[in-house]
Amino acid sequence: MKSLTKHLTFNLPERMAFLNITSQVVDLVAESGIQEGLCLVNAMHITASVFINDDEPGLHEDYKQWLEKLAPFDPSPKRYRHNRTGEDNGDAHHKRQIMGREVVVAITNGRLDFGPWEQIFYGEFDGRRPKRVLVKLLGE
Amino acid sequence: MKSLTKHLTFNLPERMAFLNITSQVVDLVAESGIQEGLCLVNAMHITASVFINDDEPGLHEDYKQWLEKLAPFDPSPKRYRHNRTGEDNGDAHHKRQIMGREVVVAITNGRLDFGPWEQIFYGEFDGRRPKRVLVKLLGE
Amino acid sequence: MKSLTKHLTFNLPERMAFLNITSQVVDLVAESGIQEGLCLVNAMHITASVFINDDEPGLHEDYKQWLEKLAPFDPSPKRYRHNRTGEDNGDAHHKRQIMGREVVVAITNGRLDFGPWEQIFYGEFDGRRPKRVLVKLLGE
């Protein structure tokens, strides 16, 4: 069995943003030498997501508006009790639950076994500081 | 280590529908000969889901109404910027995020290690064309 | 390849509640002797979740209010067709889809490879009876 572990760091200047990290994961699959296996990619922070969808800027704007409607940013302690702790990111913990923490992708014949439009994104909901993403590859 | 990879194709006549694909996954687990391992099942399209829940038609109707409320179908480019690209499926990219892309199921003693009501569904949100689901089995 | 399978049982007195089960998963990772691998933790019931977020009581109250708004408890068969079956837990099947069924966590150097605040929770949406969570560890 082979495995490879990598912690990537991202520091996005916006509070909410999506970053295509597919090429970095593709490089790690090649580096691992794994032909058949599984690739886990997860946010290591609880106000961020890793998800798979389309690399289309209009869609990303749609996601932002939609998430803002489902869980509006509100630093006051009235809407989110979490913000009574001195934090202002209660909304980010909710947005992350909608978009998910992680993806698991198959590795087949040494490559990510992807459909035509699948791309891996880091989803940031409380940015402006360095945050980490874990890539774990396992297989043979 | 053993592995098995299978790409299933579904072509659902409705825009939105749920299809129980458990028996096809069960057959692949048997075919793999894996006794202890993991089974990944994921949509390969970004307007579709794979999820686990109950095979109860009333619940599926509830899900459809609920998803339609959370992310209504609207082919116009006004609600979804994504539809400015000429697509009409902006809603489907949102519904898929609620229902998820994939499931990972344990294989124990050569079988899917399921609770009493767990069934695997393909969730289609932009149907009427062939779309693929990946099943990847890994273990020993 | 090593593997370990454990079925945990929880019986929460509330209809909706979140329970930190991290220490039980940590113990199983140690018991498995796995140094590099993957850890799957999933609800075996379709009205419950396993998710990773912050162990902060205010946030958990926020989640409960938010989920209640997104999918209100309503035992009548009017809001949820699922409740026409005699069940009263249609809402729980929806809440579980928001919070997710499972998490997959990397095992690195014999430990859960976690970010600073990541904790694993059992999410109950239709409690007051024993329900199970599966922990499956795979690696070397």
Side-chain angles (χ1 to χ4, degrees):
Chain A
M1 217 193 69
K2 288 177 180 173
S3 70
L4 188 146
T5 309
K6 191 85 175 191
H7 302 87
L8 308 171
T9 300
F10 302 105
N11 191 340
L12 302 192
E14 303 93 357
R15 180 172 282 274
M16 177 157 51
F18 305 123
L19 181 70
N20 190 334
I21 62 172
T22 313
S23 68
Q24 291 169 74
V25 180
V26 164
D27 289 349
L28 291 171
V29 173
E31 184 185 330
S32 75
I34 291 171
Q35 294 299 303
E36 298 297 321
L38 294 174
C39 170
L40 167 70
V41 189
N42 69 266
M44 299 185 77
H45 295 256
I46 52 190
T47 51
S49 288
V50 169
F51 66 95
I52 286 176
N53 217 296
D54 199 358
D55 197 355
E56 200 281 291
L59 178 65
H60 295 184
E61 283 307 308
D62 292 336
Y63 278 152
K64 286 180 197 169
Q65 285 191 15
W66 184 61
L67 292 168
E68 200 56 36
K69 203 176 120 196
L70 288 174
F73 172 67
D74 184 347
S76 83
K78 282 182 190 161
R79 188 188 298 260
Y80 301 109
R81 292 176 197 213
H82 181 58
N83 292 348
R84 296 182 192 170
T85 63
E87 298 276 0
D88 66 358
N89 62 7
D91 66 305
H93 290 273
H94 292 68
K95 287 167 172 136
R96 123 70 170 258
Q97 289 306 120
I98 296 281
M99 298 303 275
R101 168 185 178 264
E102 78 219 9
V103 296
V104 179
V105 184
I107 304 171
T108 305
N109 294 324
R111 305 181 69 163
L112 293 177
D113 199 339
F114 262 165
W117 300 102
E118 288 191 286
Q119 297 283 303
I120 307 173
F121 290 90
Y122 174 65
E124 177 62 84
F125 306 114
D126 182 29
R128 302 166 304 176
R129 56 198 169 95
K131 291 164 83 172
R132 288 186 303 155
V133 165
L134 168 66
V135 184
K136 185 94 189 183
L137 308 172
L138 202 75
E140 210 165 61
Chain B
M1 217 194 67
K2 288 177 179 173
S3 70
L4 187 146
T5 309
K6 191 85 175 193
H7 302 87
L8 308 172
T9 301
F10 302 104
N11 191 341
L12 302 192
E14 303 91 356
R15 181 172 282 273
M16 177 157 52
F18 306 123
L19 183 69
N20 190 333
I21 62 171
T22 313
S23 68
Q24 290 168 77
V25 180
V26 164
D27 288 350
L28 292 170
V29 173
E31 186 185 328
S32 75
I34 292 172
Q35 294 298 302
E36 298 297 320
L38 294 174
C39 169
L40 167 69
V41 189
N42 69 265
M44 299 186 77
H45 295 257
I46 53 190
T47 50
S49 289
V50 170
F51 67 94
I52 287 176
N53 216 295
D54 198 358
D55 197 355
E56 200 281 292
L59 177 66
H60 295 185
E61 282 308 307
D62 293 335
Y63 277 153
K64 286 179 196 169
Q65 284 192 15
W66 184 62
L67 291 167
E68 201 55 36
K69 203 177 120 196
L70 288 174
F73 171 67
D74 184 347
S76 84
K78 283 182 190 160
R79 187 188 299 260
Y80 301 109
R81 291 174 198 214
H82 181 59
N83 292 348
R84 295 181 193 170
T85 63
E87 298 276 0
D88 66 358
N89 62 7
D91 66 305
H93 290 272
H94 292 67
K95 287 167 172 137
R96 124 68 170 259
Q97 289 306 119
I98 296 282
M99 298 304 276
R101 168 185 178 263
E102 78 220 8
V103 296
V104 179
V105 184
I107 303 170
T108 305
N109 294 324
R111 305 180 70 163
L112 294 176
D113 199 338
F114 262 165
W117 300 103
E118 288 190 286
Q119 296 283 302
I120 306 174
F121 290 90
Y122 173 64
E124 177 61 85
F125 306 114
D126 182 29
R128 302 165 304 175
R129 55 197 170 95
K131 291 165 83 173
R132 287 187 302 155
V133 165
L134 169 65
V135 184
K136 186 93 189 184
L137 308 172
L138 202 74
E140 214 164 60
Chain C
M1 216 194 68
K2 288 175 179 174
S3 71
L4 187 146
T5 309
K6 191 85 174 193
H7 302 87
L8 309 171
T9 300
F10 302 104
N11 191 341
L12 302 193
E14 302 91 357
R15 179 171 284 274
M16 178 158 50
F18 305 124
L19 182 69
N20 190 333
I21 62 172
T22 312
S23 68
Q24 290 169 75
V25 180
V26 164
D27 289 350
L28 292 171
V29 173
E31 185 184 329
S32 75
I34 291 172
Q35 294 298 302
E36 299 296 320
L38 295 174
C39 169
L40 167 70
V41 189
N42 70 266
M44 300 186 77
H45 295 257
I46 52 190
T47 51
S49 288
V50 170
F51 67 95
I52 286 175
N53 216 296
D54 199 359
D55 197 356
E56 200 280 291
L59 178 65
H60 296 183
E61 283 307 307
D62 292 336
Y63 277 152
K64 286 180 196 168
Q65 285 191 14
W66 183 64
L67 291 167
E68 200 56 36
K69 202 177 120 196
L70 288 173
F73 171 66
D74 184 347
S76 85
K78 283 182 190 161
R79 186 188 299 260
Y80 301 109
R81 290 175 199 215
H82 182 58
N83 292 348
R84 296 181 193 170
T85 62
E87 298 277 0
D88 65 359
N89 62 7
D91 67 305
H93 290 273
H94 292 66
K95 287 167 173 137
R96 121 70 170 257
Q97 289 306 120
I98 296 282
M99 298 303 276
R101 169 184 178 264
E102 78 220 9
V103 296
V104 179
V105 184
I107 303 170
T108 305
N109 295 325
R111 303 180 72 163
L112 293 177
D113 199 338
F114 261 165
W117 300 103
E118 289 190 286
Q119 297 283 303
I120 307 173
F121 290 90
Y122 173 65
E124 177 61 83
F125 306 114
D126 182 28
R128 300 166 304 175
R129 55 198 170 95
K131 291 165 82 172
R132 286 186 303 154
V133 164
L134 168 66
V135 184
K136 186 94 188 183
L137 308 172
L138 202 75
E140 212 164 61

